[in-house]
Amino acid sequence: MVLPRWLLADRAGLVLLAVLAVISIGIPVLNLLVPPDHPLHLTAYTVTVLGKYLCYALLAVAIDLVWGYMGILSLGHAAFFALGGYCFGMYLMRQIGTRGVYGDPVLPDFMVFLNWQELPWYWHGFDLFWFAALMVLVVPGLLAFVFGWFAFRSRVSGVYLSIITQALTYALMLAFFRNEMGFGGNNGLTDFKDVLGFSLQANETRIVLFVLSALALAGGYLLCRWLVSTRLGRVLVAIRDSEDRARFLGYRVERVKALVFTLSAMLAGVAGALYVPQVGIINPGEFAPLNSIEAVIWVAVGGRGTLVGAVVGAVLVNYAKTWLTGALPEIWLFALGGLFVAVTLLLPRGLIGLLRRREATT
Amino acid sequence: MSELVSDLDGSGLRLRQESVDARHGILLYLEEVTVTFDGFKAIDNLSLYIGDGELRCIIGPNGAGKTTMMDIITGKTKPDSGRVFFGQTIDLLKLDEPAIARMGIGRKFQRPTVIEPLTVLENLELAMSGAKRFRGLITTRLSGEERDRIDAVLEKVGLTEHSGRLAGILAHGQKQWLEIGMLLMQEPRLLLVDEPVAGMTPAEMDRTAELLRSLAGSHSVVVVEHDMGFVRSIADQVTVLHQGRVLAEGRLEELQIDPMVIEVYLGAGDAYH
Ligand SMILES: Nc1ncnc2c1ncn2[C@@H]1O[C@H](COP(=O)(O)OP(=O)(O)O)[C@@H](O)[C@H]1O
Ligand SMILES: [Mg+2]
C-alpha cells in the first residue's frame, strides 16, 4: 500500500491510526468472543465508555484544528457537539414510535405530555435516517458559518471571540431548557429504542457504534491532518501567527476562518451524533459552558496544534474523570482546574510536546 | 458558496495587474489625504506621487505619519478625505487589504513579520501569487514551475542555502530579506518597505541596499527609513514627511542644506542614527 507523503511524515498519526485499527478489532473480540467469566472479557458498559472517549477525542481534534492551527480559541465547541447530538437524538426519538409511554405513533412522549397536537415543522424529516445524518452536518455547520461570518468579518478575535463563543453555547443551553422549544426541555431526548432497526441495548449494536466512533475519529483525524499539510494549512498557521501578514499577502482571512470553523463544527457535530446513541440521552446540560472549556483543556493537556495530542488529551483526561468522579466526585472540578494550570505552566506543549522533546534529546 | 470558496484570496475582486495604467509615468497617486485619530491629524492634506519604477525614500521624525501613510495605501486605514489611486484607474480606497495586495502592492512591516514555524521555502510558497485560489490551496505539492519561481526569489534575496530552515531561527537580517522575498513572490508592481535596516549590521545593510536597488526599475519601491547613511546609499529621490505632510522633496544633498529640513529632522538627526 502506498501512503501519501503527508501521511508518511506523520509518525505519531500513523501510531494513532494503528491503535485505532487494533482496538476496532480487539475490543469487539474481547466483548463478543471472550466468555463473560474470563478476566479479559470487556463488558458492554466498558465498550460504551470507551466509545464515548472516542467521540470526545473527535471533538478535541475539531477544536485543535481551529485553535491549534488557526489560533481561534473557541469556548463554544460543545454547542456544535450538542447540536449534532440533538439532530441524531431526534431521529432516535422518532424511531420509538408507539413504544413510548403514551403510545403516540408520531409525537414523542414529551410533546404528548405538553398537549401538543402535531409535530412542529422542524421535526419533520427526522424519521428518515439519511435526513437526520445530513442535519448532523448541516445544523452545526450552518450555525458555525453564520456565527463565524459575522464575528470574523467584524474582526472579533482573541479573548473577545472566546467570550462570545461562551455566550453562544450558554444562550443555546437556556433556549434548549425551555419546553416550548420542542426539544424536551430539561429532560432532553431519551428512552431511545433502536437505530435502523437494531436495538440500542444489544451488545452487537454497541460494538458497531464503538467501531463507527473509531472510524469517525480516524476519518476526522485524516481529514484534519491532510488539511493542515496542504497550502491551506500553512495559511492557517500564518493567520494564527500573523493575521496581518496573511491579509497583506492577499488572503481573505475572514473567509478562510469562517470556512475552517464551519468544517470544525461539522466534525464536532458528527462526534455528538455518535455520542448520543451510546450514552442514550442528550439534554441541555451538554451545552453547558463548562463542557466547552473542558474540551479545550483536553487539547491543552495533550498538546495544542498536534492533532494527535488532542486525541491523547481527550482520552486521558476523560479516563481520569471517570475514575475520579467515581472515587471522589467533589474534587473533579478542582482537579481539572489544577490540571489546566499545571499544563499551562509546566507543559506548554502538552504531553505530546514532552514526548517530542524526549525524542529530540535522545 | 462556490463563489465564496473560490474567492478565499479576494481574487474575485482582482483586476488583472496588467491593467494598472501607469502611462503617465506615475504608479501611485496620493492627493490631499487626511487621517485623523481622535482629533489628531496623523496625515494632514498629504499629496505624494510615486513614479513607475522609481525608488523613493521617505524620511521624517518618529510620529511623522510614515507608517500611517502605508496603512492608507494598503487599505488598513481608511482616510477621512482625499484620493488614493494605483495607476490612472484603480481607486484603492474602494478596496480592502487582500484586494489591494492582489492588485500588486506588497508591504513589508516595520517589525519583520515572517511565519516562524514554517520553513523559508514554505514562507515563500505561502506568498506565491496564483497559488491562492481554493484549488491552488488544496494541494501538498509544488509544481516544477512554482519551484523555479521560488528558487529565483531565494537566489535574489540570498537565502538559497537556508530554504529548508525554519524562519524562526533565521538571523534578524535574514528575516527581513525573507519578508522582502515574500513580497517578490506576490509579483508586485509597488513595494512598500517600512524601516528595513533597523537593527541590521553594516554588512547586512549593504546587502539590503543592493537588493532594493536591484528591484527598482522593474518595480516601484517606497522605502521608509531613519538611517541617513542607508538613505544616501539607495535613494534617487527623498521625501521628508513632518506632522503628516510633505515638508520637502528632492535629492538628499539638496535637502541636507535646506534650513527647514535641518530644523525638524536633520538637526536632531543624530538621535535617529
Ligand atoms: N491607530 C492609531 N490610533 C491613534 N493614533 C495613531 C494610530 N496610528 C498612528 N497613530 C498616531 O499617528 C502618528 C503617526 O504615526 P506613524 O504613522 O506610526 O508614524 P511614523 O511611522 O512616521 O513613526 C503618531 O503620532 C501615532 O501616535
Ligand atoms: Mg513607523
Side-chain angles (χ1 to χ4, degrees):
Chain A
M1 196 168 57
V2 185
L3 294 175
R5 217 170 341 145
W6 58 267
L7 186 54
L8 275 175
D10 174 29
R11 278 189 25 229
L14 290 173
V15 171
L16 170 71
L17 294 172
V19 169
L20 287 175
V22 167
I23 62 171
S24 299
I25 296 164
I27 297 230
V29 167
L30 292 182
N31 171 255
L32 297 172
L33 301 184
V34 175
D37 49 3
H38 192 280
L40 280 178
H41 175 78
L42 275 188
T43 61
Y45 173 77
T46 310
V47 173
T48 298
V49 170
L50 293 175
K52 209 172 83 172
Y53 292 171
L54 296 181
C55 296
Y56 288 146
L58 181 55
L59 171 62
V61 167
I63 291 173
D64 197 25
L65 179 66
V66 291
W67 184 36
Y69 290 88
M70 205 165 52
I72 294 175
L73 175 55
S74 167
L75 294 179
H77 253 55
F80 305 122
F81 180 89
L83 285 173
Y86 264 98
C87 286
F88 201 69
M90 286 162 80
Y91 163 77
L92 296 174
M93 276 318 253
R94 300 281 318 259
Q95 296 308 296
I96 298 173
T98 53
R99 288 169 292 176
V101 177
Y102 298 105
D104 190 297
V106 177
L107 294 187
D109 277 350
F110 72 88
M111 291 187 193
V112 180
F113 185 76
L114 291 171
N115 272 322
W116 289 13
Q117 301 307 315
E118 54 181 318
L119 207 61
W121 62 268
Y122 47 83
W123 271 81
H124 286 277
F126 278 94
D127 49 330
L128 304 168
F129 179 83
W130 68 265
F131 182 80
L134 188 65
M135 288 303 122
V136 162
L137 295 170
V138 169
V139 172
L142 198 64
L143 176 69
F145 184 74
V146 171
F147 175 88
W149 185 252
F150 287 105
F152 302 139
R153 245 171 43 131
S154 327
R155 303 217 177 153
V156 180
S157 59
V159 73
Y160 299 100
L161 189 93
S162 303
I163 290 169
I164 59 172
T165 54
Q166 278 268 283
L168 174 78
T169 195
Y170 188 65
L172 282 167
M173 179 178 76
L174 295 184
F176 275 75
F177 263 126
R178 293 161 50 90
N179 283 328
E180 306 83 80
M181 275 286 281
F183 296 108
N186 209 358
N187 300 322
L189 310 177
T190 188
D191 290 331
F192 309 133
K193 307 285 186 232
D194 49 30
V195 53
L196 288 170
F198 299 102
S199 166
L200 283 170
Q201 310 316 322
N203 235 9
E204 290 76 9
T205 313
R206 289 174 169 246
I207 286 289
V208 169
L209 285 168
F210 171 82
V211 173
L212 284 176
S213 304
L215 284 177
L217 176 58
Y221 175 82
L222 282 170
L223 180 66
C224 293
R225 171 59 62 201
W226 170 74
L227 196 77
V228 300
S229 51
T230 62
R231 282 185 188 154
L232 184 61
R234 277 163 232 150
V235 177
L236 301 188
V237 172
I239 290 174
R240 178 191 73 193
D241 288 359
S242 176
E243 192 167 319
D244 266 341
R245 181 72 278 166
R247 201 171 267 132
F248 288 112
L249 286 177
Y251 290 103
R252 265 193 199 292
V253 168
E254 300 73 34
R255 296 185 183 195
V256 176
K257 282 186 179 175
L259 229 57
V260 175
F261 193 65
T262 302
L263 176 70
S264 166
M266 288 172 150
L267 288 176
V270 171
L274 284 161
Y275 172 83
V276 166
Q278 300 190 73
V279 298
I281 180 168
I282 174 86
N283 64 31
E286 295 295 338
F287 287 104
L290 190 62
N291 282 24
S292 294
I293 294 173
E294 260 190 72
V296 165
I297 295 177
W298 308 335
V299 177
V301 167
R304 174 189 171 199
T306 61
L307 296 177
V308 173
V311 175
V312 171
V315 172
L316 288 184
V317 176
N318 278 293
Y319 179 75
K321 182 180 182 175
T322 306
W323 180 78
L324 254 186
T325 46
L328 300 155
E330 57 288 346
I331 73 158
W332 167 241
L333 275 183
F334 295 102
L336 188 69
L339 186 65
F340 186 57
V341 172
V343 165
T344 314
L345 294 179
L346 305 175
L347 284 181
R349 301 182 52 224
L351 294 171
I352 290 287
L354 198 66
L355 284 181
R356 293 239 165 104
R357 204 167 50 201
R358 270 282 155 71
E359 216 167 74
T361 52
T362 51
Chain B
M1 189 82 183
S2 77
E3 189 232 338
L4 174 99
V5 166
S6 69
D7 192 26
L8 290 178
D9 58 331
S11 53
L13 283 170
R14 177 188 186 190
L15 300 171
R16 310 221 105 253
Q17 237 174 273
E18 303 85 79
S19 75
V20 177
D21 176 4
R23 260 178 309 174
H24 294 255
I26 306 288
L27 186 65
L28 181 74
Y29 299 76
L30 271 84
E31 289 175 332
E32 293 161 23
V33 175
T34 297
V35 181
T36 320
F37 294 120
D38 309 318
F40 167 72
K41 279 191 176 157
I43 297 286
D44 184 8
N45 205 24
L46 173 73
S47 294
L48 187 73
Y49 304 91
I50 305 296
D52 197 15
E54 180 187 357
L55 173 56
R56 172 81 60 97
C57 269
I58 302 204
I59 61 175
N62 256 324
K66 304 179 299 291
T67 300
T68 307
M69 183 197 76
M70 294 202 171
D71 287 344
I72 292 167
I73 299 167
T74 53
K76 189 174 188 187
T77 300
K78 292 292 172 199
D80 307 332
S81 61
R83 290 169 301 282
V84 183
F85 273 79
F86 192 40
Q88 303 273 304
T89 49
I90 300 166
D91 183 353
L92 293 181
L93 298 184
K94 292 214 177 84
L95 303 173
D96 63 0
E97 298 105 313
I100 292 172
R102 298 285 297 174
M103 204 71 70
I105 298 183
R107 173 175 188 182
K108 205 198 87 54
F109 294 107
Q110 192 164 335
R111 269 190 33 218
T113 312
V114 294
I115 310 304
E116 307 217 328
L118 301 182
T119 64
V120 169
L121 186 111
E122 286 169 336
N123 268 279
L124 294 176
E125 184 187 1
L126 177 76
M128 184 160 48
S129 73
K132 294 173 191 165
R133 307 218 64 144
F134 189 66
R135 240 181 302 144
L137 285 174
I138 297 297
T139 174
T140 54
R141 288 166 200 286
L142 272 177
S143 74
E145 185 238 345
E146 290 169 336
R147 183 69 225 210
D148 291 345
R149 274 181 58 200
I150 291 178
D151 285 343
V153 168
L154 279 170
E155 174 97 42
K156 181 127 213 162
V157 298
L159 292 174
T160 306
E161 312 91 90
H162 302 288
S163 74
R165 294 178 76 195
L166 293 183
I169 58 174
L170 295 179
H172 173 78
Q174 292 172 325
K175 283 186 191 168
Q176 300 275 29
W177 296 328
L178 174 57
E179 197 177 356
I180 293 173
M182 290 167 78
L183 304 194
L184 294 178
M185 290 307 299
Q186 292 176 260
E187 303 186 313
R189 279 290 285 273
L190 172 64
L191 286 137
L192 304 173
V193 186
D194 204 347
E195 304 205 14
V197 297
M200 277 191 182
T201 63
E204 289 175 328
M205 270 191 202
D206 289 345
R207 283 194 67 178
T208 309
E210 199 181 310
L211 173 61
L212 291 174
R213 272 199 313 263
S214 76
L215 298 177
S218 47
H219 309 77
S220 298
V221 184
V222 176
V223 181
V224 162
E225 195 41 75
H226 273 322
D227 190 288
M228 276 305 144
F230 182 75
V231 171
R232 194 172 296 120
S233 69
I234 60 167
D236 327 327
Q237 222 21 40
V238 176
T239 299
V240 184
L241 223 59
H242 179 53
Q243 295 180 345
R245 49 202 315 171
V246 174
L247 182 73
E249 207 163 71
R251 302 185 55 78
L252 190 63
E253 306 86 78
E254 297 159 20
L255 295 175
Q256 278 175 313
I257 52 171
D258 182 326
M260 221 167 30
V261 175
I262 292 171
E263 189 185 330
V264 308
Y265 186 64
L266 297 177
D270 289 334
Y272 300 107
H273 280 224

